[in-house]
Protein backbone atom coordinates (compact mmCIF):
# COMPACT_ATOMS: atom_id res chain seq x y z
CA UNK A 1 0.00 0.00 0.00
CA UNK A 2 1.26 3.42 -0.92
CA UNK A 3 0.69 6.23 1.57
CA UNK A 4 -1.58 8.84 0.01
CA UNK A 5 -0.53 12.47 0.53
CA UNK A 6 -2.49 15.68 0.09
CA UNK A 7 0.40 17.16 -1.91
CA UNK A 8 3.67 15.86 -3.38
CA UNK A 9 6.32 18.52 -3.96
CA UNK A 10 9.01 17.56 -6.48
CA UNK A 11 12.30 19.36 -5.70
CA UNK A 12 13.76 20.75 -2.45
CA UNK A 13 15.26 23.95 -3.86
CA UNK A 14 14.07 27.32 -2.60
CA UNK A 15 10.81 27.06 -4.58
CA UNK A 16 9.92 23.60 -3.22
CA UNK A 17 10.94 24.40 0.37
CA UNK A 18 8.97 27.67 0.28
CA UNK A 19 5.88 25.87 -1.00
CA UNK A 20 6.33 23.34 1.83
CA UNK A 21 6.48 26.15 4.42
CA UNK A 22 3.05 27.40 3.32
CA UNK A 23 1.55 23.89 3.29
CA UNK A 24 3.03 23.17 6.72
CA UNK A 25 1.37 26.31 8.15
CA UNK A 26 -1.99 25.02 6.86
CA UNK A 27 -1.52 21.52 8.31
CA UNK A 28 -1.42 19.81 4.90
CA UNK A 29 -0.04 16.26 4.65
CA UNK A 30 2.81 16.68 2.12
CA UNK A 31 6.01 14.95 1.01
CA UNK A 32 9.00 16.45 -0.81
CA UNK A 33 10.91 14.25 -3.26
CA UNK A 34 14.42 15.47 -4.02
CA UNK A 35 16.81 14.09 -6.66
CA UNK A 36 20.06 15.09 -4.94
CA UNK A 37 21.52 14.03 -1.59
CA UNK A 38 20.92 17.53 -0.16
CA UNK A 39 18.32 20.31 -0.23
CA UNK A 40 18.96 23.82 -1.58
CA UNK A 41 19.49 23.28 -5.32
CA UNK A 42 21.38 26.32 -6.60
CA UNK A 43 21.87 27.61 -3.06
CA UNK A 44 25.03 25.88 -1.86
CA UNK A 45 27.66 27.06 0.63
CA UNK A 46 31.00 25.33 1.12
CA UNK A 47 32.00 25.68 4.74
CA UNK A 48 35.47 25.18 6.19
CA UNK A 49 36.89 25.81 9.64
CA UNK A 50 37.89 29.41 8.99
CA UNK A 51 35.72 30.64 6.11
CA UNK A 52 32.88 29.75 3.80
CA UNK A 53 32.15 30.38 0.13
CA UNK A 54 28.82 30.73 -1.62
CA UNK A 55 29.19 28.40 -4.59
CA UNK A 56 25.77 29.26 -6.04
CA UNK A 57 23.40 32.12 -5.22
CA UNK A 58 24.81 34.84 -3.00
CA UNK A 59 23.43 38.39 -3.43
CA UNK A 60 20.11 40.04 -2.61
CA UNK A 61 18.87 43.62 -2.46
CA UNK A 62 16.51 45.35 -0.04
CA UNK A 63 13.52 45.06 -2.40
CA UNK A 64 13.82 41.27 -2.24
CA UNK A 65 11.62 41.17 0.83
CA UNK A 66 10.90 37.43 0.96
CA UNK A 67 14.61 36.64 0.93
CA UNK A 68 15.60 39.32 3.43
CA UNK A 69 12.81 38.04 5.71
CA UNK A 70 14.01 34.44 5.41
CA UNK A 71 17.65 35.40 6.03
CA UNK A 72 16.59 37.06 9.29
CA UNK A 73 14.29 34.16 10.22
CA UNK A 74 17.30 31.86 9.80
CA UNK A 75 19.19 33.93 12.42
CA UNK A 76 21.36 36.04 10.10
CA UNK A 77 21.52 39.73 9.20
CA UNK A 78 21.62 41.54 5.88
CA UNK A 79 25.05 43.03 5.16
CA UNK A 80 26.08 45.48 2.45
CA UNK A 81 28.32 44.31 -0.37
CA UNK A 82 31.42 46.51 -0.34
CA UNK A 83 30.68 48.54 -3.48
CA UNK A 84 30.04 52.29 -3.60
CA UNK A 85 28.17 54.71 -5.88
CA UNK A 86 31.53 55.60 -7.37
CA UNK A 87 32.25 52.04 -8.49
CA UNK A 88 32.28 51.33 -12.21
CA UNK A 89 32.38 48.38 -14.56
CA UNK A 90 35.11 48.55 -17.16
CA UNK A 91 35.68 46.95 -20.51
CA UNK A 92 38.91 44.96 -20.40
CA UNK A 93 40.17 46.06 -23.81
CA UNK A 94 39.33 49.77 -24.00
CA UNK A 95 39.51 50.26 -20.20
CA UNK A 96 36.42 52.46 -20.52
CA UNK A 97 33.43 52.38 -18.22
CA UNK A 98 30.68 50.30 -19.80
CA UNK A 99 27.78 50.14 -17.38
CA UNK A 100 26.26 53.51 -18.30
CA UNK A 101 26.58 52.71 -21.98
CA UNK A 102 24.97 49.30 -21.50
CA UNK A 103 22.02 50.80 -19.62
CA UNK A 104 21.39 53.34 -22.39
CA UNK A 105 21.55 50.81 -25.16
CA UNK A 106 19.36 48.39 -23.21
CA UNK A 107 16.52 50.92 -22.96
CA UNK A 108 16.61 51.47 -26.73
CA UNK A 109 16.72 47.78 -27.50
CA UNK A 110 13.94 46.84 -25.06
CA UNK A 111 11.29 48.63 -27.12
CA UNK A 112 12.31 46.74 -30.26
CA UNK A 113 12.63 43.43 -28.44
CA UNK A 114 9.00 43.70 -27.35
CA UNK A 115 7.68 44.52 -30.80
CA UNK A 116 8.84 41.38 -32.59
CA UNK A 117 10.51 38.18 -31.48
CA UNK A 118 14.03 37.73 -32.83
CA UNK A 119 17.18 35.93 -31.84
CA UNK A 120 18.60 38.21 -29.14
CA UNK A 121 21.97 38.54 -30.90
CA UNK A 122 20.37 39.45 -34.28
CA UNK A 123 18.68 42.38 -32.64
CA UNK A 124 21.86 44.26 -31.79
CA UNK A 125 24.07 42.87 -34.56
CA UNK A 126 21.72 44.45 -37.12
CA UNK A 127 21.58 47.82 -35.40
CA UNK A 128 25.03 48.44 -33.96
CA UNK A 129 27.88 49.16 -36.35
CA UNK A 130 30.85 49.06 -33.96
CA UNK A 131 32.11 45.46 -33.71
CA UNK A 132 33.74 46.04 -30.36
CA UNK A 133 30.44 47.24 -28.86
CA UNK A 134 28.71 44.17 -30.25
CA UNK A 135 31.31 42.00 -28.49
CA UNK A 136 30.76 43.82 -25.19
CA UNK A 137 27.00 43.34 -25.39
CA UNK A 138 27.39 39.69 -26.40
CA UNK A 139 29.78 39.09 -23.53
CA UNK A 140 27.46 40.88 -21.10
CA UNK A 141 24.44 38.82 -22.24
CA UNK A 142 26.37 35.53 -22.28
CA UNK A 143 27.31 35.99 -18.65
CA UNK A 144 24.09 37.56 -17.39
CA UNK A 145 21.79 35.16 -19.25
CA UNK A 146 24.37 32.32 -19.22
CA UNK A 147 23.29 31.17 -22.69
CA UNK A 148 24.70 32.29 -26.05
CA UNK A 149 22.34 35.14 -27.11
CA UNK A 150 22.06 33.69 -30.60
CA UNK A 151 19.82 30.96 -29.16
CA UNK A 152 17.60 33.23 -27.06
CA UNK A 153 14.17 34.73 -27.69
CA UNK A 154 14.51 38.52 -27.39
CA UNK A 155 10.85 38.91 -26.45
CA UNK A 156 11.16 36.45 -23.57
CA UNK A 157 14.30 38.20 -22.30
CA UNK A 158 12.57 41.56 -22.13
CA UNK A 159 9.46 39.98 -20.61
CA UNK A 160 11.43 38.50 -17.73
CA UNK A 161 13.56 41.63 -17.23
CA UNK A 162 10.32 43.57 -16.74
CA UNK A 163 9.41 41.23 -13.91
CA UNK A 164 12.56 42.26 -11.97
CA UNK A 165 10.61 44.63 -9.71
CA UNK A 166 13.45 46.76 -8.38
CA UNK A 167 15.43 49.76 -9.52
CA UNK A 168 18.39 48.59 -7.42
CA UNK A 169 21.26 46.39 -8.52
CA UNK A 170 20.90 42.74 -7.50
CA UNK A 171 24.37 42.81 -5.86
CA UNK A 172 23.89 45.34 -3.04
CA UNK A 173 23.47 42.98 -0.06
CA UNK A 174 24.30 39.50 1.24
CA UNK A 175 23.47 37.39 4.28
CA UNK A 176 25.89 37.80 7.19
CA UNK A 177 26.45 34.03 7.26
CA UNK A 178 26.27 31.09 4.84
CA UNK A 179 23.00 30.68 2.96
CA UNK A 180 23.12 27.00 3.93
CA UNK A 181 21.73 28.27 7.29
CA UNK A 182 18.64 29.43 5.45
CA UNK A 183 18.28 26.04 3.75
CA UNK A 184 18.69 24.30 7.13
CA UNK A 185 15.99 26.55 8.57
CA UNK A 186 13.56 25.65 5.75
CA UNK A 187 14.51 21.96 5.84
CA UNK A 188 13.78 22.01 9.59
CA UNK A 189 10.20 23.06 8.84
CA UNK A 190 9.67 20.03 6.59
CA UNK A 191 11.79 17.74 8.80
CA UNK A 192 11.34 14.05 7.98
CA UNK A 193 8.93 14.78 5.15
CA UNK A 194 11.79 15.12 2.61
CA UNK A 195 13.21 12.09 0.81
CA UNK A 196 16.62 12.49 -0.89
CA UNK A 197 18.39 10.73 -3.77
CA UNK A 198 15.11 10.06 -5.59
CA UNK A 199 14.97 11.74 -8.99
CA UNK A 200 11.37 11.75 -10.17
CA UNK A 201 10.93 10.05 -13.55
CA UNK A 202 7.15 9.97 -14.12
CA UNK A 203 4.06 11.94 -13.15
CA UNK A 204 0.68 10.47 -14.09
CA UNK A 205 -2.79 11.78 -13.49
CA UNK A 206 -5.09 8.94 -12.34
CA UNK A 207 -8.77 8.62 -11.38
CA UNK A 208 -7.84 9.24 -7.74
CA UNK A 209 -5.29 12.00 -8.16
CA UNK A 210 -1.63 11.65 -9.12
CA UNK A 211 1.00 8.94 -9.18
CA UNK A 212 4.59 10.21 -8.89
CA UNK A 213 7.32 7.67 -9.64
CA UNK A 214 10.91 8.22 -8.60
CA UNK A 215 13.81 5.90 -9.40
CA UNK A 216 12.97 3.96 -6.19
CA UNK A 217 9.34 4.46 -5.19
CA UNK A 218 5.85 5.36 -6.24
CA UNK A 219 3.97 8.08 -4.33
CA UNK A 220 0.26 8.94 -4.55
CA UNK A 221 -1.25 12.34 -3.91
CA UNK A 222 -4.29 14.56 -4.49
CA UNK A 223 -2.10 17.30 -5.93
CA UNK A 224 1.43 17.91 -7.19
CA UNK A 225 3.79 20.90 -7.19
CA UNK A 226 6.65 20.38 -9.66
CA UNK A 227 9.20 22.75 -8.08
CA UNK A 228 12.16 22.20 -10.40
CA UNK A 229 13.64 24.15 -13.33
CA UNK A 230 11.50 23.81 -16.50
CA UNK A 231 14.35 22.03 -18.32
CA UNK A 232 14.59 19.39 -15.57
CA UNK A 233 10.78 19.17 -15.64
CA UNK A 234 10.83 18.60 -19.42
CA UNK A 235 12.80 15.36 -18.84
CA UNK A 236 10.02 13.82 -16.72
CA UNK A 237 7.48 11.56 -18.46
CA UNK A 238 3.86 12.73 -18.05
CA UNK A 239 0.50 11.10 -18.68
CA UNK A 240 -0.87 12.09 -22.13
CA UNK A 241 -3.21 14.84 -20.85
CA UNK A 242 -0.44 16.53 -18.83
CA UNK A 243 1.97 16.14 -21.72
CA UNK A 244 -0.34 17.78 -24.23
CA UNK A 245 -1.05 20.64 -21.81
CA UNK A 246 2.49 21.44 -20.64
CA UNK A 247 5.16 19.84 -22.83
CA UNK A 248 5.48 22.66 -25.40
CA UNK A 249 5.93 25.24 -22.65
CA UNK A 250 8.50 23.06 -20.87
CA UNK A 251 10.38 22.44 -24.11
CA UNK A 252 10.58 26.20 -24.70
CA UNK A 253 13.37 26.45 -22.13
CA UNK A 254 17.05 25.72 -22.57
CA UNK A 255 19.65 25.11 -19.86
CA UNK A 256 22.16 27.76 -18.86
CA UNK A 257 25.89 27.25 -18.25
CA UNK A 258 27.85 28.95 -15.49
CA UNK A 259 31.10 28.53 -13.57
CA UNK A 260 31.66 30.62 -10.44
CA UNK A 261 35.15 31.22 -9.01
CA UNK A 262 35.89 33.28 -5.89
CA UNK A 263 39.35 34.46 -4.76
CA UNK A 264 40.21 35.88 -1.35
CA UNK A 265 42.93 38.57 -1.13
CA UNK A 266 44.66 40.24 1.76
CA UNK A 267 44.15 43.66 0.19
CA UNK A 268 41.50 44.93 -2.25
CA UNK A 269 43.93 46.18 -4.94
CA UNK A 270 40.98 46.93 -7.28
CA UNK A 271 39.84 49.80 -5.02
CA UNK A 272 42.14 52.25 -6.84
CA UNK A 273 41.97 51.71 -10.58
CA UNK A 274 42.62 54.30 -13.30
CA UNK A 275 39.61 54.52 -15.63
CA UNK A 276 39.62 57.31 -18.23
CA UNK A 277 42.30 59.14 -16.21
CA UNK A 278 40.30 59.10 -12.97
CA UNK A 279 40.88 56.80 -10.02
CA UNK A 280 37.77 54.65 -9.65
CA UNK A 281 36.74 51.68 -7.65
CA UNK A 282 35.84 48.67 -9.72
CA UNK A 283 32.57 46.90 -9.24
CA UNK A 284 33.00 44.55 -12.16
CA UNK A 285 35.04 43.88 -15.21
CA UNK A 286 33.34 42.94 -18.43
CA UNK A 287 35.77 41.07 -20.63
CA UNK A 288 35.18 41.24 -24.35
CA UNK A 289 37.54 38.46 -25.25
CA UNK A 290 36.92 35.70 -24.40
CA UNK A 291 33.18 36.22 -24.32
CA UNK A 292 30.86 35.88 -21.39
CA UNK A 293 32.96 36.62 -18.33
CA UNK A 294 32.27 39.12 -15.55
CA UNK A 295 34.08 39.83 -12.31
CA UNK A 296 32.49 41.46 -9.30
CA UNK A 297 33.78 42.70 -5.98
CA UNK A 298 31.97 40.23 -3.72
CA UNK A 299 33.46 41.43 -0.41
CA UNK A 300 31.07 42.22 2.39
CA UNK A 301 31.59 45.59 4.09
CA UNK A 302 34.41 45.33 6.69
CA UNK A 303 35.14 41.70 5.86
CA UNK A 304 37.86 40.03 3.83
CA UNK A 305 38.48 41.17 0.25
CA UNK A 306 37.06 38.93 -2.45
CA UNK A 307 36.69 38.91 -6.22
CA UNK A 308 34.19 36.61 -7.88
CA UNK A 309 34.33 35.62 -11.55
CA UNK A 310 31.25 34.38 -13.38
CA UNK A 311 32.00 32.50 -16.59
CA UNK A 312 28.88 31.98 -18.72
CA UNK A 313 27.55 30.20 -21.83
CA UNK A 314 29.94 28.70 -24.44
CA UNK A 315 33.19 29.50 -22.65
CA UNK A 316 31.82 27.88 -19.48
CA UNK A 317 31.00 24.71 -21.42
CA UNK A 318 34.49 24.69 -22.89
CA UNK A 319 36.24 25.28 -19.54
CA UNK A 320 34.11 22.69 -17.74
CA UNK A 321 35.93 20.04 -19.79
CA UNK A 322 39.40 21.13 -18.57
CA UNK A 323 40.94 20.05 -15.28
CA UNK A 324 40.68 22.31 -12.25
CA UNK A 325 44.28 23.57 -12.33
CA UNK A 326 44.02 24.54 -16.02
CA UNK A 327 40.69 26.26 -15.44
CA UNK A 328 41.92 28.28 -12.46
CA UNK A 329 45.07 29.30 -14.32
CA UNK A 330 43.01 30.44 -17.31
CA UNK A 331 40.74 32.51 -15.06
CA UNK A 332 43.67 33.95 -13.11
CA UNK A 333 45.42 35.01 -16.32
CA UNK A 334 42.40 37.16 -17.16
CA UNK A 335 42.61 38.88 -13.78
CA UNK A 336 46.35 39.39 -14.23
CA UNK A 337 45.77 40.99 -17.66
CA UNK A 338 43.60 43.62 -16.00
CA UNK A 339 45.19 44.07 -12.57
CA UNK A 340 48.75 42.89 -13.04
CA UNK A 341 50.72 40.23 -11.15
CA UNK A 342 49.24 41.20 -7.77
CA UNK A 343 46.13 39.25 -8.79
CA UNK A 344 48.23 36.09 -8.44
CA UNK A 345 48.73 36.59 -4.70
CA UNK A 346 45.41 35.29 -3.47
CA UNK A 347 45.14 33.57 -0.10
CA UNK A 348 42.28 31.21 -0.89
CA UNK A 349 39.99 30.26 -3.78
CA UNK A 350 36.98 28.08 -4.49
CA UNK A 351 35.14 27.16 -7.68
CA UNK A 352 31.92 25.44 -8.63
CA UNK A 353 30.96 24.18 -12.06
CA UNK A 354 27.21 24.21 -12.58
CA UNK A 355 27.47 23.33 -16.29
CA UNK A 356 25.32 20.31 -17.24
CA UNK A 357 24.00 19.77 -13.71
CA UNK A 358 21.08 17.47 -14.64
CA UNK A 359 18.72 18.72 -11.94
CA UNK A 360 19.55 22.41 -11.39
CA UNK A 361 19.71 23.53 -15.00
CA UNK A 362 23.43 24.23 -15.52
CA UNK A 363 23.37 27.99 -15.02
CA UNK A 364 21.78 30.74 -12.92
CA UNK A 365 18.52 29.60 -14.52
CA UNK A 366 17.00 28.18 -17.71
CA UNK A 367 15.85 30.66 -20.38
CA UNK A 368 13.35 30.61 -23.26
CA UNK A 369 15.03 29.82 -26.57
CA UNK A 370 14.20 31.47 -29.87
CA UNK A 371 11.37 29.47 -31.45
CA UNK A 372 9.94 28.50 -28.05
CA UNK A 373 6.77 30.00 -26.54
CA UNK A 374 7.96 33.39 -25.32
CA UNK A 375 5.10 33.36 -22.77
CA UNK A 376 5.79 29.79 -21.53
CA UNK A 377 6.11 31.05 -17.93
CA UNK A 378 2.49 32.29 -17.96
CA UNK A 379 1.25 28.84 -18.93
CA UNK A 380 3.43 26.95 -16.45
CA UNK A 381 2.42 29.01 -13.45
CA UNK A 382 -1.30 28.28 -13.88
CA UNK A 383 -2.57 25.10 -12.18
CA UNK A 384 -3.99 22.44 -14.51
CA UNK A 385 -6.45 20.31 -12.53
CA UNK A 386 -4.36 19.88 -9.34
CA UNK A 387 -0.86 20.08 -10.74
CA UNK A 388 1.24 23.23 -10.92
CA UNK A 389 4.84 24.11 -11.78
CA UNK A 390 7.03 26.37 -9.68
CA UNK A 391 10.61 27.67 -10.00
CA UNK A 392 12.55 30.89 -10.11
CA UNK A 393 12.23 30.96 -13.93
CA UNK A 394 8.46 31.23 -13.97
CA UNK A 395 8.00 33.62 -11.03
CA UNK A 396 5.64 36.61 -11.46
CA UNK A 397 8.33 38.80 -9.93
CA UNK A 398 12.12 38.60 -9.67
CA UNK A 399 12.41 35.63 -12.07
CA UNK A 400 15.84 33.93 -12.16
CA UNK A 401 16.65 35.11 -8.62
CA UNK A 402 16.26 33.43 -5.21
CA UNK A 403 13.49 35.94 -4.48
CA UNK A 404 11.58 34.69 -7.52
CA UNK A 405 11.97 31.06 -6.40
CA UNK A 406 10.54 31.81 -2.94
CA UNK A 407 7.66 33.85 -4.37
CA UNK A 408 6.92 31.19 -6.97
CA UNK A 409 6.88 28.43 -4.32
CA UNK A 410 4.48 30.37 -2.09
CA UNK A 411 2.23 31.21 -5.03
CA UNK A 412 2.09 27.58 -6.21
CA UNK A 413 1.26 26.35 -2.69
CA UNK A 414 -1.60 28.86 -2.38
CA UNK A 415 -3.01 27.84 -5.78
CA UNK A 416 -2.89 24.18 -4.80
CA UNK A 417 -4.51 24.88 -1.43
CA UNK A 418 -7.38 26.52 -3.27
CA UNK A 419 -7.60 23.61 -5.69
CA UNK A 420 -7.68 20.92 -2.99
CA UNK A 421 -10.20 22.39 -0.60
CA UNK A 422 -10.14 26.17 -0.46
CA UNK A 423 -8.06 26.24 2.76
C1 LIG B 1 26.43 30.35 -9.70
C2 LIG B 1 25.05 30.91 -9.38
C3 LIG B 1 24.95 32.17 -8.83
C4 LIG B 1 23.71 32.72 -8.52
N1 LIG B 1 23.66 33.94 -7.91
C5 LIG B 1 22.48 34.42 -7.47
C6 LIG B 1 22.46 35.58 -6.66
O1 LIG B 1 23.50 36.15 -6.33
N2 LIG B 1 21.23 36.02 -6.24
C7 LIG B 1 20.06 35.38 -6.56
O2 LIG B 1 18.99 35.83 -6.11
N3 LIG B 1 20.07 34.26 -7.31
C8 LIG B 1 21.25 33.76 -7.77
N4 LIG B 1 21.28 32.59 -8.49
C9 LIG B 1 19.99 31.98 -8.90
C10 LIG B 1 19.31 31.23 -7.75
O3 LIG B 1 20.21 30.31 -7.20
C11 LIG B 1 18.08 30.51 -8.26
O4 LIG B 1 17.19 31.43 -8.88
C12 LIG B 1 17.26 29.77 -7.18
O5 LIG B 1 18.07 29.20 -6.19
C13 LIG B 1 16.43 28.71 -7.88
O6 LIG B 1 15.64 28.00 -6.96
P1 LIG B 1 14.60 26.90 -7.50
O7 LIG B 1 14.00 26.26 -6.32
O8 LIG B 1 13.70 27.52 -8.50
O9 LIG B 1 15.48 25.84 -8.33
P2 LIG B 1 16.73 24.96 -7.88
O10 LIG B 1 17.59 25.67 -6.94
O11 LIG B 1 17.36 24.49 -9.16
O12 LIG B 1 16.10 23.72 -7.12
C14 LIG B 1 15.50 22.65 -7.82
C15 LIG B 1 15.60 21.40 -6.96
O13 LIG B 1 14.86 20.37 -7.61
C16 LIG B 1 15.65 19.19 -7.63
N5 LIG B 1 15.22 18.40 -8.81
C17 LIG B 1 15.39 18.68 -10.12
N6 LIG B 1 14.88 17.73 -10.90
C18 LIG B 1 14.34 16.81 -10.06
C19 LIG B 1 13.64 15.58 -10.26
N7 LIG B 1 13.40 15.07 -11.47
N8 LIG B 1 13.21 14.90 -9.17
C20 LIG B 1 13.42 15.39 -7.92
N9 LIG B 1 14.09 16.55 -7.67
C21 LIG B 1 14.54 17.24 -8.73
C22 LIG B 1 17.08 19.67 -7.72
O14 LIG B 1 18.01 18.69 -7.29
C23 LIG B 1 17.04 20.90 -6.81
O15 LIG B 1 17.28 20.58 -5.47
C24 LIG B 1 22.51 32.00 -8.80
C25 LIG B 1 22.61 30.71 -9.35
C26 LIG B 1 23.86 30.16 -9.63
C27 LIG B 1 23.96 28.77 -10.20
Amino acid sequence: MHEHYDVIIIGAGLAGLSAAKVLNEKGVNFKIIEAASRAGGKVLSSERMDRYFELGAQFVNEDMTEMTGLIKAAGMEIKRTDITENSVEIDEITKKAVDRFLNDIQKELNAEMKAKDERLSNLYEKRIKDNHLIKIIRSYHSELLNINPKYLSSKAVVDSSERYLSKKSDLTHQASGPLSNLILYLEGISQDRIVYNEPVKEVFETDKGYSVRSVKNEYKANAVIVAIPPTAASRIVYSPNLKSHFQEALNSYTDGAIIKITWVYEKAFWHRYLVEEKVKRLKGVIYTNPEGIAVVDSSKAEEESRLTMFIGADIAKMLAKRDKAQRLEFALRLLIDVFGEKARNYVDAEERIWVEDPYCGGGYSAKIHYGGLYNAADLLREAYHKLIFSSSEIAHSFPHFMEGAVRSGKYAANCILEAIDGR
Side-chain angles (χ1 to χ4, degrees):
M1 263 286 285
H2 301 285
E3 191 177 346
H4 196 101
Y5 298 93
D6 288 335
V7 184
I8 293 284
I9 300 172
I10 306 174
L14 272 180
L17 292 172
S18 303
K21 184 167 181 286
V22 173
L23 298 184
N24 181 61
E25 279 156 16
K26 298 285 180 188
V28 172
N29 177 22
F30 67 89
K31 189 95 181 167
I32 308 182
I33 306 172
E34 167 55 49
S37 56
R38 59 169 187 93
K42 289 181 285 263
V43 177
L44 174 62
S45 322
S46 84
E47 295 176 66
R48 309 198 197 134
M49 291 290 280
D50 52 344
R51 62 170 59 92
Y52 69 90
F53 290 87
E54 293 301 353
L55 303 181
Q58 180 164 1
F59 303 97
V60 292
N61 75 25
E62 285 168 318
D63 293 331
M64 298 177 176
T65 48
E66 293 291 342
M67 273 304 295
T68 52
L70 279 177
I71 288 169
K72 287 176 191 160
M76 299 181 284
E77 291 161 29
I78 309 295
K79 289 202 77 175
R80 282 202 68 82
T81 306
D82 196 16
I83 43 178
T84 67
E85 296 279 297
N86 193 29
S87 306
V88 292
E89 290 188 13
I90 62 151
D91 159 37
E92 184 255 352
I93 289 185
T94 62
K95 305 285 187 286
K96 287 191 175 153
V98 291
D99 42 357
R100 215 170 341 112
F101 155 77
L102 284 171
N103 281 341
D104 289 350
I105 202 100
Q106 202 60 53
K107 271 183 220 141
E108 256 177 54
L109 290 179
N110 272 7
E112 300 200 31
M113 282 156 127
K114 267 179 108 156
K116 179 174 165 270
D117 201 13
E118 279 188 69
R119 288 177 188 276
L120 183 59
S121 56
N122 278 6
L123 197 86
Y124 49 80
E125 279 165 14
K126 271 197 283 183
R127 287 161 187 84
I128 299 171
K129 298 285 165 265
D130 181 332
N131 273 340
H132 185 64
L133 292 188
I134 291 178
K135 275 190 175 179
I136 293 178
I137 300 176
R138 195 187 301 136
S139 175
Y140 180 77
H141 280 146
S142 295
E143 182 275 318
L144 199 69
L145 306 170
N146 58 99
I147 293 163
N148 186 324
K150 76 178 174 206
Y151 302 122
L152 292 178
S153 148
S154 60
K155 220 168 152 129
V157 168
V158 77
D159 170 63
S160 66
S161 72
E162 282 179 351
R163 287 187 271 137
Y164 178 78
L165 301 186
S166 174
K167 300 231 176 309
K168 297 175 189 144
S169 150
D170 53 300
L171 300 172
T172 59
H173 290 78
Q174 305 175 44
S176 58
L179 284 172
S180 54
N181 290 344
L182 189 154
I183 299 301
L184 277 177
Y185 162 75
L186 288 173
E187 256 182 312
I189 291 171
S190 294
Q191 287 183 348
D192 50 2
R193 285 178 288 185
I194 312 182
V195 293
Y196 299 91
N197 297 312
E198 288 203 34
V200 168
K201 298 286 180 203
E202 290 176 9
V203 178
F204 274 64
E205 197 168 24
T206 64
D207 296 344
K208 294 192 182 117
Y210 293 86
S211 154
V212 174
R213 286 187 204 135
S214 76
V215 288
K216 291 185 197 154
N217 290 305
E218 181 179 1
Y219 301 87
K220 306 266 187 193
N222 294 337
V224 178
I225 301 176
V226 188
I228 65 181
T231 42
S234 73
R235 296 188 274 268
I236 291 178
V237 174
Y238 301 94
S239 50
N241 63 331
L242 295 174
K243 186 174 172 184
S244 65
H245 191 80
F246 286 117
Q247 198 78 48
E248 192 183 357
L250 293 175
N251 291 348
S252 297
Y253 284 85
T254 188
D255 277 333
I258 203 83
I259 297 175
K260 180 177 183 182
I261 306 175
T262 298
W263 293 272
V264 179
Y265 290 94
E266 262 167 20
K267 211 164 161 263
F269 49 80
W270 54 93
H271 279 187
R272 292 184 58 76
Y273 193 88
L274 207 58
V275 184
E276 293 156 50
E277 291 166 16
K278 288 193 191 112
V279 174
K280 297 272 188 182
R281 229 172 124 160
L282 292 190
K283 140 173 106 178
V285 182
I286 307 273
Y287 293 94
T288 54
N289 184 19
E291 296 168 351
I293 296 179
V295 178
V296 300
D297 182 341
S298 55
S299 327
K300 284 184 230 172
E302 289 137 34
E303 291 193 19
E304 60 184 14
S305 303
R306 293 178 172 215
L307 283 180
T308 294
M309 181 179 281
F310 297 99
I311 304 174
D314 299 346
I315 183 104
K317 290 184 187 167
M318 187 269 281
L319 285 173
K321 296 193 181 97
R322 295 205 190 159
D323 68 37
K324 187 175 177 181
Q326 285 176 322
R327 195 166 39 248
L328 288 180
E329 183 54 28
F330 172 91
L332 204 55
R333 275 249 65 89
L334 296 176
L335 284 189
I336 292 167
D337 285 349
V338 180
F339 299 113
E341 281 298 322
K342 48 190 173 265
R344 198 176 277 289
N345 301 327
Y346 61 90
V347 292
D348 204 349
E350 189 81 273
E351 67 154 5
R352 167 78 191 201
I353 302 168
W354 290 91
V355 180
E356 289 173 8
D357 181 307
Y359 302 118
C360 290
Y364 300 132
S365 57
K367 301 283 176 339
I368 294 176
H369 59 77
Y370 178 72
L373 298 173
Y374 71 86
N375 58 349
D378 296 341
L379 191 88
L380 293 174
R381 75 170 93 85
E382 293 312 320
Y384 175 68
H385 299 162
K386 289 174 187 164
L387 180 141
I388 194 166
F389 287 86
S390 168
S391 72
S392 74
E393 286 85 354
I394 66 170
H396 282 110
S397 47
F398 295 101
H400 313 298
F401 289 90
M402 292 185 282
E403 180 73 11
V406 175
R407 291 186 187 208
S408 171
K410 288 180 76 171
Y411 173 80
N414 283 315
C415 290
I416 284 302
L417 282 173
E418 225 171 81
I420 54 180
D421 62 5
R423 264 184 268 200

